[in-house]
Amino acid sequence: MKKQLDNGFISYDLVGQGIPILLIHGYPLSREIWQPQVNGLSDHATIITPDLRGHGESYTFDPPYTMDKLAHDCKLLLDDLSINTPVIVNGLSMGGYIAFALYRKFPELFKGMILTSTRAGEDSSEGKANRDASIKNAQENGVDSVVEGMLPKMFSTKTFENNPGLVESIHRVMSTTSLQGVVGALEGMRDRPDSTPLLPSIQQPVLIIHGEDDQLIPIKEAELMQNMIPNASLVRVADAGHLPNLEQTEIYNQAVLDFLKSIS
Ligand code: MLT
């Protein structure tokens, strides 16, 4: 489905019934990554999966894509869908940065929060320099060049070696991200604020899910968030890297279902 928002359109799916869960994908991905959650959870919840601007089938706006702007798109979508009750927001990686931006502006929107494969801190100076190098690489050599370098790091080495079908499908999703989407998201992530000071103020229950073999964001970042958020639990997923929802779907979906039961 498509919604006209902010002079462009956002593509999204809305499936199921029950408490609304907004699933925000990471970079450079799309709502396709949530298909196993749509399949496994939509009997228990209303699953809303947008494609962020510049990603998937959504409109490609000009960069930069600040986390605030991406959060604003999500809020506009919820408003447009007349979702007025508090929702559970589940952000994966960059989606988590967006969840923090959303919480900063609209804490009352949240019934609970799920933080998947993400971190609260801002980029280090080395991290910012890496973003600049990736932006240059994308502009000079194209999106594929960035994707090729990133693909093996999206998974545990075990998944990468043993599940070529999954690796290939994520390769395809990443490669369809527009150049503006890649550059816009890299600029937005590079310049995002530190969300660590926000953590102690999060009042709602939080579920943190993190792959033990995440090569992009180490699990110690998840432990740090668990320690600083008043009401947070952490599910460590063995044999999963950056995409535990795809690499260990049953464990991931069960963790979300348990969280749903605990707060509804
Ligand atoms: C993501 O998966 O969204 C990105 O890897 C996050 C990041 O680069 O910081």
Side-chain angles (χ1 to χ4, degrees):
M1 288 181 267
K2 286 181 181 179
K3 284 275 179 203
Q4 180 73 34
L5 298 175
D6 212 9
N7 298 323
F9 65 80
I10 291 290
S11 291
Y12 71 98
D13 288 312
L14 185 151
V15 184
Q17 48 192 324
I19 182 167
I21 309 187
L22 175 70
L23 299 176
I24 311 176
H25 66 75
Y27 154 90
L29 297 165
S30 78
R31 70 192 198 277
E32 269 194 59
I33 67 155
W34 297 119
Q35 197 54 49
Q37 283 62 57
V38 171
N39 296 342
L41 302 173
S42 54
D43 282 348
H44 308 270
T46 304
I47 311 286
I48 306 150
T49 54
D51 277 344
L52 297 168
R53 56 171 66 201
H55 294 71
E57 296 173 333
S58 284
Y59 188 81
T60 289
F61 298 80
D62 286 338
Y65 300 174
T66 62
M67 298 304 105
D68 277 349
K69 221 180 253 181
L70 297 173
H72 186 66
D73 287 343
C74 293
K75 177 70 166 73
L76 284 180
L77 177 62
L78 293 177
D79 289 347
D80 212 84
L81 294 170
S82 302
I83 294 182
N84 308 313
T85 53
V87 303
I88 296 174
V89 178
N90 179 357
L92 183 145
S93 198
M94 181 176 76
Y97 312 157
I98 297 165
F100 289 132
L102 203 54
Y103 193 86
R104 217 172 270 118
K105 284 239 166 72
F106 307 105
E108 70 289 346
L109 183 73
F110 285 69
K111 170 104 178 149
M113 192 188 288
I114 304 176
L115 297 168
T116 302
S117 312
T118 195
R119 57 154 49 103
E122 62 190 332
D123 278 1
S124 62
S125 45
E126 189 194 346
K128 286 183 199 288
N130 287 339
R131 302 282 190 208
D132 289 336
S134 295
I135 291 167
K136 192 158 180 277
N137 185 13
Q139 285 167 335
E140 288 177 0
N141 305 311
V143 167
D144 278 346
S145 178
V146 174
V147 167
E148 295 297 334
M150 195 176 170
L151 186 68
K153 300 186 197 137
M154 296 296 275
F155 307 95
S156 69
T157 43
K158 199 166 170 185
T159 305
F160 193 69
E161 280 161 17
N162 298 338
N163 197 341
L166 176 61
V167 173
E168 191 35 48
S169 73
I170 291 302
H171 190 184
R172 180 184 48 75
V173 169
M174 292 168 81
S175 302
T176 54
T177 311
S178 66
L179 176 61
Q180 279 166 304
V182 165
V183 171
L186 284 167
E187 289 178 354
M189 289 191 287
R190 178 195 62 199
D191 299 335
R192 75 186 189 280
D194 182 7
S195 292
T196 314
L198 185 73
L199 301 178
S201 72
I202 299 177
Q203 296 306 318
Q204 294 85 339
V206 176
L207 170 65
I208 301 167
I209 311 181
H210 213 100
E212 287 184 343
D213 306 325
D214 192 331
Q215 303 181 63
L216 289 173
I217 301 185
I219 196 160
K220 70 172 171 27
E221 300 287 349
E223 290 162 356
L224 185 144
M225 294 191 296
Q226 186 196 11
N227 288 337
M228 292 190 66
I229 298 171
N231 182 4
S233 56
L234 167 61
V235 172
R236 302 159 182 274
V237 187
D239 292 329
H242 199 52
L243 300 173
N245 62 311
L246 295 167
E247 297 179 72
Q248 298 295 341
T249 294
E250 274 183 33
I251 293 170
Y252 188 92
N253 283 359
Q254 192 57 52
V256 175
L257 279 176
D258 291 345
F259 183 63
L260 279 182
K261 269 191 213 133
S262 74
I263 67 173
S264 53

